[in-house]
């Protein structure tokens, strides 16, 4: 029984670690995420649109199996966990072998290995030492640092480069797990929301995606916000000047634009939209005296600000109706869109103590209906609007993603890992002097392998063999003239 | 089969083809010259693109001729034509860059411009460096379809919207173009592999016919009662589709065009039917009939394309959803158009295979080499894809507030990445080689194309610009 259990466990493990499982899981991820892009997704679609697109039955089925929110469905999370498990299991399963290979490099090729290896070559050498020295020099000349391997009965040469390349796959897998981990942390502890601020307004209430309100431990104030346009009228830039207010003090200030958010305590504020707040920031009025030979006065007013036009009269902007209409001698608000705005000015006379209401449309058109409501005729002035500025609001996206650093770390690691996987080649060379038992002559066996890009390696191997040949020739020519020197240099290395 | 072989232009060795292509190019250049005379402006983007189109088309024809006849001089002239086309294309890119003040990455039109350019460069690289001489037969038609599509897309220079004003735009899109062009190359190489691998012509017949059938079946989902075909209405002044309400497009019904498409479907099904019969009855005579049916189907497909071009370009048509008549345009139906052009191209590719000479093998690198180069190309594409996604994520994190939003484009980019990841795993640990690997590479490129075009036009999302 115990044996069976153990074999079952082993089978499960092997299944989890197999490449087949991995590929099947990948295919599942592919199919389900493709479904998630074709079926309308709840988080990004208005619910009316969902109802328009699908019949009630279809919609309830889709909702039931979670296809309307694939990327947050429990089974998608389970699938991602399974993918992670598969990556981990496959890595653990294969790691010990690779680690052995990595930590204990195979430095002395035995006879079986030598027979099977490709590419290999043999060169005739006068004696062991000459061959070893020639191989060492040749390897040095192509940028390797050869190592003399000492066995009980003989010497050989071993050289390698980029051994780390063997472990690159694990770097890639680890980086993917790191990215997943970051994603999971963000899924659990991260949040996203929006915060709309009128100019001058301060708030710490963020509306989260599900409609809940999150209160931040600090507040954000928008000082000004604005838009720049291209010549053709399309928006070029949105900006807002923000300040972080904590315990009554401005602790940080920044002008944010679309690609440059403000970050405070790991919470990031992005410029996402911009528009008119439906409030008046300032208005420039020209008041011309009806009697006094047209003497003009220009006043600039903010909302609810009061200015005096003469010794007796003060003026105040009392109201702004963004979209007005007139009915039965009264002014009403149709909507909050800045479609058809008008202002109500209050003129107060100190002497008489009376207050007159003057209605002015902010559009250029003359509106007799509004003029009929206005008491402008009773005032000593004729008003015209010379300019003004509407208030703006800035739409901020707010997000907190504590896991993002794991993600970026993972991305960098992934880049490094992939560079090693595809472009860094682990190359090994061996040189072994071999004595032919029949002829009693020495020859130098040279072999090499590369873990990828083998055709290019073949060329490198040929170059090395030629270099060894050259070295052999030059050593032998020196040997003839001054044999002692050779021994000295050889030992010196 | 035997008869089809006899029909191949064996006699047309030597200079006949070059003269024909040369005449064609000269004629087109003359027409272009007249056009330039009329507008009075020699070097503008349109003319440069037109020149690129002419030379790419000439190059495609010569590459095809080389593939069929194996005449070396064709290849020389094909390379030359590609070079000239590339120079014109470079001019168009430079002109665009200068006009817009930013690299041409900001709209589908501009991305296509860069994509075609990269593809032409890679074609020359593959030809000169790796000796894959016939690759132009696949890449040039892709480039031609790209340039033709560009004529239909909105090409007015737009200033960059705020979200696109980032260095990361250039990083992200450059990487994407390089990666996608590398994927296109791996696709072309995989096709070359299938040719070199002596894939049975019949199998190829079945596959190509099936593709055409799928294309026409897809088109016929727009079939409207009594022979009409529904097309999206187009507002010529605003250069945009007509919307009934948010997200709901207005369709117009073009009468009789539906019947043409039904006819085309029937004709492209015939080779498949005869192939089935040949398989069932084990009688090769049916295959000869199937091949003849392919010829007929090409004629009918060209006819369908012409009818479509004529009807969709001019005239006003009624709609089922709104009163009055509305215009449509080729630009409103990029998918139908590329489907139709793609169908003809696929059938022509089959002809290339049918007419291939035994010594075509001599012109191509060995199967082992092609297999390895395909793998190498994907080895280049995959890290580029990874970096492209990473750069996009970093940029999104600065703009949209999150590095990953499961936006359709993001999701499909991830799907592309997963498919190539699966390819690499199968190859490295399972030793997947040869035909399976080639199919995988072809499938990967199909997904890349869907990510590039399909997602933009079919699925809405944050990536609205391109």
């Amino acid at each position: 029984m115990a044996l069976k259990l153990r074999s079952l466990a082993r089978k499960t493990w092997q299944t989890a670690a197999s490449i087949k499982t991995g590929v099947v899981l990948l295919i599942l991820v592919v199919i389900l995420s493709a479904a998630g892009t074709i079926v309308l997704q709840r988080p990004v679609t208005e619910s009316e649109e969902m109802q328009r697109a699908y019949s009630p039955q279809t919609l309830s089925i889709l909702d039931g199996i979670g296809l309307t929110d694939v990327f947050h469905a429990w089974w998608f999370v389970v699938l991602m966990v399974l993918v992670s498990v598969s990556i981990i299991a496959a890595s653990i399963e294969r790691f010990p072998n690779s680690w052995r290979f990595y930590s204990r490099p195979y430095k002395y090729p035995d006879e079986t290995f030598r027979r099977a290896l490709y590419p290999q070559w043999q060169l005739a050498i006068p004696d062991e030492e000459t061959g070893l020295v020639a191989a060492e020099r040749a390897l040095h000349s192509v940028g390797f640092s050869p190592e003399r391997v000492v066995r009980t009965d003989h010497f050989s040469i071993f050289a390698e480069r980029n051994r780390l390349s063997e472990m690159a796959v694990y770097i890639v897998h680890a980086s993917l797990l790191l990215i997943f981990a970051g994603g999971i942390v963000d899924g659990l502890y991260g949040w996203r929301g929006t915060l709309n601020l009128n100019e001058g307004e301060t708030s710490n209430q963020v509306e989260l995606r599900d409609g809940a309100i999150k209160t931040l431990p600090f507040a954000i104030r928008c000082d000004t916000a604005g838009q720049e346009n291209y010549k053709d009228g399309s928006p070029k830039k949105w900006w807002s000047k923000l300040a972080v207010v904590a315990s009554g003090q401005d602790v940080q200030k920044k002008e944010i634009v679309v690609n440059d958010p403000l970050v405070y305590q790991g919470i990031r504020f992005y410029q996402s939209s911009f528009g008119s707040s439906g409030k008046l920031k300032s208005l420039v009025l020209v008041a011309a005296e009806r009697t006094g030979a047209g003497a003009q006065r220009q006043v600039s007013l903010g909302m609810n600000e009061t200015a005096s036009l003469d010794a007796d009269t003060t003026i105040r902007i009392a109201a702004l109706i963004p979209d007005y209409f007139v009915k039965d001698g009264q002014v009403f608000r149709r909507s909050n869109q800045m479609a058809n705005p008008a202002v109500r000015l209050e003129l107060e006379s100190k002497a008489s103590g009376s207050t007159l209401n003057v209605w002015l449309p902010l559009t250029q058109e003359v509106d007799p209906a509004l003029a009929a409501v206005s008491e402008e005729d009773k005032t000593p002035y004729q008003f015209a609007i010379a300019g003004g500025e509407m208030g703006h609001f800035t739409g901020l996206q707010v997000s907190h993603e504590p896991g993002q650093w794991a993600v970026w770390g993972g991305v960098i690691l992934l880049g490094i890992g992939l560079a090693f996987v595809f472009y860094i080649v682990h190359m090994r060379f061996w040189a072994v002097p071999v004595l032919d038992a029949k002829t009693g002559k020495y020859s130098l066996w040279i072999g090499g392998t590369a873990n990828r890009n083998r055709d290019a390696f073949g060329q490198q191997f040929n170059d090395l063999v030629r270099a060894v040949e050259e070295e052999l020739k030059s050593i032998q020519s020196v040997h003839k003239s001054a044999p002692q020197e050779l021994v000295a240099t050889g030992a010196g290395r | 089969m035997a008869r089809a072989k006899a029909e191949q232009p064996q006699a047309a060795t030597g200079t006949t083809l070059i003269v024909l292509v040369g005449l064609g190019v000269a004629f087109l250049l003359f027409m272009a010259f007249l056009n330039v005379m009329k507008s009075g402006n020699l070097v503008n983007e349109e003319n440069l693109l037109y020149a690129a189109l002419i030379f790419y088309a000439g190059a495609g024809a010569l590459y095809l001729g080389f593939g069929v006849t194996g005449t070396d001089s064709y290849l020389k002239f094909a390379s030359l034509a590609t070079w000239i086309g590339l120079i014109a294309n470079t001019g168009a890119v430079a002109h665009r860059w200068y006009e817009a003040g930013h690299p041409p990455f900001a709209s589908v039109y501009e991305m296509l411009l860069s994509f075609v350019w990269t593809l032409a460069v890679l074609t020359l690289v593959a030809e000169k460096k790796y000796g894959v001489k016939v690759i132009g037969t696949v890449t040039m038609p892709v480039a031609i379809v790209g340039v033709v599509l560009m004529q239909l897309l909105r090409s007015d220079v737009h200033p960059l919207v705020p979200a696109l004003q980032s260095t990361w735009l250039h990083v992200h899109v450059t990487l994407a173009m390089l990666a996608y062009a590398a994927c296109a190359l791996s696709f072309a190489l995989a096709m070359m592999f299938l040719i070199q691998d002596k894939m049975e012509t019949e199998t190829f017949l079945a596959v190509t016919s099936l593709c055409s059938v799928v294309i026409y079946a897809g088109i016929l989902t727009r079939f409207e009662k009594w022979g009409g075909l529904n097309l999206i209405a187009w507002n010529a002044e605003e250069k945009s589709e007509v919307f009934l309400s948010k997200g709901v497009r207005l369709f117009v019904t073009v009468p009789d065009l539906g019947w043409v498409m039904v006819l085309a479907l029937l004709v492209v099904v015939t080779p498949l039917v005869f192939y089935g019969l040949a398989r069932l009855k084990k009688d090769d005579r049916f295959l000869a009939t199937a091949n003849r049916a392919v010829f007929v189907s090409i004629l009918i497909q060209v006819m369908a394309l012409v009818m479509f071009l004529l009807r969709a370009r001019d005239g006003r048509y009624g709609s089922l959803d709104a009163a009055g008549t509305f215009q449509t345009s080729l630009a409103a139906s990029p998918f139908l158009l590329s489907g139709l052009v793609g169908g003809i191209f696929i059938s022509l590719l089959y002809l290339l295979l049918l007419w291939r000479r035994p010594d075509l093998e001599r012109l191509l690198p060995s199967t082992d080499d092609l297999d390895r180069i395909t793998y190498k190309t994907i080895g280049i594409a995959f890290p580029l894809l990874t970096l492209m996604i990473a750069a996009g994520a970093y940029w999104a994190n600065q703009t949209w507030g999150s590095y990953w939003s499961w936006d359709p484009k993001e999701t499909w980019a991830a799907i592309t990445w997963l498919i190539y990841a699966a390819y690499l795993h199968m190859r490295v640990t399972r030793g997947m080689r040869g035909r399976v690997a080639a199919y995988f590479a072809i499938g990967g490129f199909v997904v890349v194309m869907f990510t590039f075009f399909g997602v933009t036009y079919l699925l809405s999302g944050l990536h609205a610009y391109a």
Side-chain angles (χ1 to χ4, degrees), chain A residues 37 186 192 230 236 259 270, chain B residues 160 165 397 399-400 403 412:
Chain A
T37 62
D186 282 346
R192 288 182 72 183
Y230 288 106
K236 180 183 184 185
N259 279 308
Y270 299 85
Chain B
L160 286 175
Q165 293 161 16
N397 200 37
T399 308
W400 300 332
Y403 48 83
W412 276 97

Side-chain angles (χ1 to χ4, degrees), chain B residues 93-112:
Chain B
V93 169
H95 190 269
R96 182 83 189 176
W97 193 327
Y98 176 75
E99 280 284 287
H102 56 79
F105 295 150
S107 63
V108 179
Y109 172 89
E110 294 183 357
M111 304 245 286
L112 262 178

Side-chain angles (χ1 to χ4, degrees), chain B residues 240-260:
Chain B
S240 83
E241 295 154 347
V242 179
F243 288 93
L244 272 178
S245 61
K246 188 173 170 268
V248 183
R249 291 179 176 82
L250 176 70
F251 284 91
V252 295
T253 309
V254 182
D256 307 332
L257 201 54
W259 292 131
V260 177

Side-chain angles (χ1 to χ4, degrees), chain B residues 302-340:
Chain B
V302 171
M303 187 192 86
L305 176 68
V306 171
M307 294 280 275
F308 175 76
L309 291 177
L310 288 177
R311 301 303 300 271
R313 241 172 52 173
D314 304 311
R316 303 177 71 87
Y317 303 96
S319 169
L320 291 179
D321 303 317
T325 55
F326 301 89
Q327 247 185 330
T328 182
S329 154
L330 293 177
S333 318
F335 275 102
L336 288 190
L337 186 65
S338 25
L340 289 169

